[in-house]
Every structure is written in C-alpha cells, then in structure tokens.
C-alpha cells in the first residue's frame, strides 16, 4: 500500500487524479463515504475518468457518458463494454493508501 494523500484532501462526491508509481488513478470519495480507486482512463475512449461525475458508487465518463461501478470496474452504461482496473484502498490514521494490484483482475 502506498500513501497518496490525506482523506481530507478529497471532498465527499469528488474525484481527483493521483499518480501512484507512474500509474494515473482516479481516487473517488463516493456518496457512501467510502474511497475507491480506478484506473484513470475510460476503457472506451482515452479520457480521464477523474474529470467525470460521481453518482452513488458509479463514475461517469464526461466524453460519451459511459458509467463504471467503482466497486467492480464494470461498465454500467454504454458505450463502454470493457471494465477498468479497480485498486484496493485503505484509510488509516486519516491518510489514503492505494495498492496497485487490481482487485478485479483487470490490468492496464
């Protein structure tokens, strides 16, 4: 696990791009008050997911409207059909840590 930021750096309902060992990750503080981390590129078009909209436990790509489940990386709305990598997240002592070994088995 690699420390990426303080939990207070990411407001609830916000996504930010963090770079972890050279990998761009969208770190999301979702509406359920949990933190999620997904590869920061839509599987349909090469645009950053961290610039998208959060609704519940989904993240919407701003370009074509594909939605991804933050827990599984699976697309929940077209045009994307391929999942994105999901990375384990832990919050310890007020800091956010990410593990770059995808929990859903999808790699980039």
């Amino acid at each position: 696990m690699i420390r990426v930021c303080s939990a207070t750096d990411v407001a609830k309902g916000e996504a930010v791009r963090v770079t972890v060992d050279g990998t761009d990750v969208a770190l999301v503080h979702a509406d359920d008050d949990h933190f999620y981390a997904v590869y920061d590129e839509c599987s349909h078009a090469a645009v950053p997911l961290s610039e998208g909209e959060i609704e519940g436990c989904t993240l919407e790509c701003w370009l074509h409207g594909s939605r991804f489940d933050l827990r599984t990386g699976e697309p929940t709305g077209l045009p994307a059909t391929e999942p994105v990598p999901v990375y384990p997240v832990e919050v310890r002592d007020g800091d956010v840590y990410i593990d770059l070994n995808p929990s859903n088995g999808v790699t980039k």
Side-chain angles (χ1 to χ4, degrees), residues 1-107:
M1 289 270 177
I2 300 168
R3 183 193 178 279
V4 293
C5 66
S6 171
T8 59
D9 291 342
V10 187
K12 190 173 185 178
E14 181 178 61
V16 298
R17 173 183 271 191
V18 295
T19 302
V20 183
D21 281 349
T23 300
D24 290 328
V25 175
L27 176 63
V28 178
H29 188 173
D31 295 335
D32 68 358
D33 212 24
H34 288 89
F35 286 84
Y36 299 93
V38 298
Y39 186 67
D40 195 21
E41 185 176 285
C42 179
S43 62
H44 171 255
V47 297
L49 289 174
S50 59
E51 296 176 8
E53 295 291 321
I54 300 153
E55 184 176 316
C57 284
T58 64
L59 180 57
E60 180 179 8
C61 177
W62 61 268
L63 186 60
H64 296 117
S66 294
R67 295 184 88 52
F68 296 90
D69 187 311
L70 292 166
R71 298 162 293 195
T72 65
E74 292 292 326
T76 61
L78 294 173
T81 58
E82 297 296 318
V84 293
V86 173
Y87 305 106
V89 177
E90 285 184 19
V91 178
R92 295 186 302 226
D93 299 322
D95 291 324
V96 179
Y97 294 81
I98 295 176
D99 181 345
L100 284 183
N101 295 308
S103 59
N104 63 347
V106 178
T107 58

